[in-house]
Amino acid sequence: MPSPPAPRLRADVSGLPRYVPGRTAPSDRVAKLSSNENPYPPLPSVVAAMREELGRVNRYPDSRSSELVTELSAALAVPPEHLAPGTGSLGVTKDLVCAAAGEGDEVLFAWRSFEAYPMLVWAAGATPVQVPLRDERHDLEAMAEAVTDRTRLIIVCNPNNPTGTAVRRGELERFLDRLPGHVLVVLDEAYREFVDDTDVPDGIELYRDRPNVAVLRTFSKAYGLARLRVGYAVAHPPVTAALRACTVPFGVSGLAQAAAQASLRARPELLERVRTLVAERARVTRALRAAGWSVPASQANFVWLRLGTHTSAFAGACEAAGVMVRPFGDEGVRITIGTPEQNDNLLKIAGDWRA
Ligand SMILES: *Cc1c(COP(=O)(O)O)cnc(C)c1O
């Protein structure tokens, strides 16, 4: 019998890049410092809010996340219509690309940056344009020069994943001022809460009088809700309306909405944990540098080691010693800041490696 015909899919889909997630830890004894997760479990108040939601899962969630939007609006001092929640900031990024760019359009971002950008752009049928980092930082000059008539969207990952480096207020403002107003600029601030350098601008200040700027935030990292999938965009109403048009209805689950609201209420406690991680970041950076490593100044919850061709050997040595880090090809490894004990283990491995 002849085999039945295969379904006719989009011709370019089979060749699209795939997201390579950090592997699952093989056991609880392995420290997973490979996915930029928050090492602390959810607070009891957040667990209680989710537990209350469990009895309602037969009902669809509020598609607009109205209560969450109201609370975010108060917390960030932005109008509710400037907020668009989604299934993690990844979900919102996908919606943004869909809203701004289609076939023949270009989406510009630095490289190396967040691994998910190329695939989300290709999936929309648009073309990624990747501008190399310079000294591990965004090269905003080169990015401005790479803008063409086809550029529809520019993503600035600040601080940048995986290098941890951040762009400064002056250079970012000059960059924004130079761009044509019809190009949408997304400031991906997934790690905003970990920023302690006052020269690094808060996107929410920058977007206010710039209709072409959108800011992305998430509950996954600082707030420790990575598994629930909730993030949001802050932007002016034409952009948020387009996002609502492009998003999957009911995407943000009731559990995610309840946990995000409870997390906003527990903000002081959660930000205290963030301060601990920021202090650990400083300690890890100092110790690595003292051991002879070159470590770019990180404003996120991870550090970057450029290891070149030694990347996979180093990642293997870490794993053999019970610590998972994230290797990127022949470029380097990204190491998430964990608990003090996990960081101590990492420092021991990194120290031995150089000895
Ligand atoms: C982790 C990360 C995200 C993804 O966040 P979710 O809200 O979990 O989808 C987005 N952008 C960057 C740069 C990240 O590192």
Side-chain angles (χ1 to χ4, degrees), residues 19 35-37 86-93 113-117 155-162 188-191 216-221 225-232 301-302 334:
Y19 186 80
S35 295
N36 294 348
E37 292 154 337
T87 55
S89 49
L90 268 170
V92 186
T93 307
S113 188
F114 189 30
E115 234 193 315
Y117 298 150
I155 308 175
V156 177
C157 186
N158 200 33
N160 188 47
N161 178 0
D188 185 343
E189 295 188 339
Y191 301 96
L216 288 176
R217 298 275 177 92
T218 179
F219 285 95
S220 295
K221 309 281 165 56
L225 301 181
R227 193 172 278 213
L228 282 177
R229 318 304 309 129
V230 52
Y232 55 94
N301 69 340
F302 53 84
R334 189 193 65 200

Side-chain angles (χ1 to χ4, degrees), residues 95-107:
D95 296 340
L96 271 167
V97 175
C98 152
E103 222 172 297
D105 297 332
E106 294 174 352
V107 178

